[in-house]
Amino acid sequence: MRSAEACRSSSLTGVAGLVLLLGAVLSGCAAMQQPLKALQQAVTPAASEPAASAAAAAPAPAAAPVVAEMPVSPAVQRAYDEARKAMRAGRPADAERGLRAIVKSNPELGGPHANLGLLLRQAGRLPEAVAELEAAVHANPQQAVYFNQLGIAYRQQGEFAKAREAYERAIDLDAAYASPLLNLGILHDLYLGEGSRALALYDRYLALSPGGDAQVAKWVADLKNRKPPPVAVSRKEQP
C-alpha cells in the first residue's frame, strides 16, 4: 500500500537515523536547537523505519509551521533529548522507556506523545500507536504534522474514514503542507476507489513539490489514462 513515510515523512520521512522535525525541516534532517520548542515539536523516526518511497530522492516539500506549546523544565528537556538520541541510535526499548516517563509526568505535551506513537507504530503496535497520536493531537490540535501521522496510523488499521478526517484536518491547518495531500490522494486512489479525487490531490501535491516527483507523476498519468494503478506496495505514505 502507499505508505508515505518519506524524508519529509518521515513524516516521517522516516529514514533510519534521521531526525524528523515537526517545524523545521520536517523531512527530518536536523534537530531543533531551541530547548523550549524541541520537546513539543520534534518527531524522530526509529532506526528500524523502512526507507520511504521513490519520491524521497526529490527535495522535500516545505515543512509545516511550528506550533509552540509551553515551556518545559531543563530536566524534562534533557530526558526528551535522551529519548530522541535513543531513537536515532536504534535503541527503541530505551526510547520508549524515556518517552513513557515523560508522557506520564507531562501528559499535556504533544511532542512526546507523537514520538511515542511513531515508535509504537514502527513496532507494529497499532492500537497503542493510535492512542498516543490521538493524545498528541488532543494536546496540540494546531499541529498539522501530528494529524498527518495519526492519519497514517488510522489507515494502517483499516480505519479509512478516520484517516481521511485526520489528513483533511492536517490540510486545513496548513494548505502548503504537501505530505497529507499525497497521503489523502493515496487513500482515495487505493482504498476508497475515488480516482478523480485522488487525481486532484496528486496534482496539488505535485504543485507543492518544486523538485518534482516522478513516481507520483506516473500515478497521475495512469489515472488520466484509466489504467490500473501501480502495485500497491510501491506507494509510500509521507509522514
Side-chain angles (χ1 to χ4, degrees), residues 152-208:
I152 293 172
Y154 280 147
R155 196 280 301 160
Q156 290 181 347
Q157 281 205 142
E159 298 186 77
F160 301 148
K162 287 185 176 181
R164 180 177 59 202
E165 291 175 4
Y167 291 144
E168 289 175 344
R169 178 60 176 154
I171 294 166
D172 287 343
L173 286 169
D174 182 11
Y177 181 16
S179 292
L181 287 167
L182 174 59
N183 295 342
L184 185 57
I186 289 171
L187 185 71
H188 280 282
D189 187 359
L190 289 187
Y191 302 97
L192 301 179
E194 299 173 350
S196 60
R197 177 62 175 147
L199 183 59
L201 289 160
Y202 288 157
D203 284 341
R204 288 176 63 186
Y205 164 76
L206 289 172
L208 292 174

Side-chain angles (χ1 to χ4, degrees), residues 7-224:
C7 192
R8 197 240 204 234
S9 118
S10 42
S11 5
L12 263 169
T13 300
V15 175
L18 295 185
V19 175
L20 174 63
L21 294 188
L22 295 188
V25 185
L26 187 52
S27 313
C29 297
M32 293 180 100
Q33 300 302 315
Q34 298 90 329
L36 296 185
K37 293 183 179 180
L39 177 62
Q40 297 91 346
Q41 296 157 1
V43 172
T44 308
S48 60
E49 179 99 3
S53 68
V66 171
V67 181
E69 288 174 322
M70 61 189 70
V72 296
S73 70
V76 173
Q77 182 64 55
R78 285 194 298 272
Y80 183 68
D81 290 342
E82 285 301 311
R84 289 194 303 150
K85 184 185 299 183
M87 292 180 81
R88 290 194 300 270
R91 294 185 283 114
D94 291 341
E96 180 179 350
R97 189 159 44 247
L99 290 169
R100 285 197 182 280
I102 297 170
V103 300
K104 182 177 180 179
S105 63
N106 296 81
E108 75 284 359
L109 298 176
H113 284 295
N115 277 281
L116 182 55
L118 295 184
L119 195 67
L120 293 168
R121 194 181 74 205
Q122 291 155 0
R125 296 156 64 183
L126 288 177
E128 295 174 82
V130 166
E132 291 301 330
L133 289 165
E134 287 177 338
V137 301
H138 179 76
N140 190 343
Q142 299 304 310
Q143 183 54 269
V145 178
Y146 296 171
F147 280 99
N148 185 50
Q149 296 298 338
L150 179 57
I152 293 172
Y154 280 147
R155 196 280 301 160
Q156 290 181 347
Q157 281 205 142
E159 298 186 77
F160 301 148
K162 287 185 176 181
R164 180 177 59 202
E165 291 175 4
Y167 291 144
E168 289 175 344
R169 178 60 176 154
I171 294 166
D172 287 343
L173 286 169
D174 182 11
Y177 181 16
S179 292
L181 287 167
L182 174 59
N183 295 342
L184 185 57
I186 289 171
L187 185 71
H188 280 282
D189 187 359
L190 289 187
Y191 302 97
L192 301 179
E194 299 173 350
S196 60
R197 177 62 175 147
L199 183 59
L201 289 160
Y202 288 157
D203 284 341
R204 288 176 63 186
Y205 164 76
L206 289 172
L208 292 174
S209 305
D213 188 323
Q215 184 64 69
V216 176
K218 184 177 186 300
W219 300 344
V220 168
D222 288 342
L223 281 171
K224 288 181 175 178

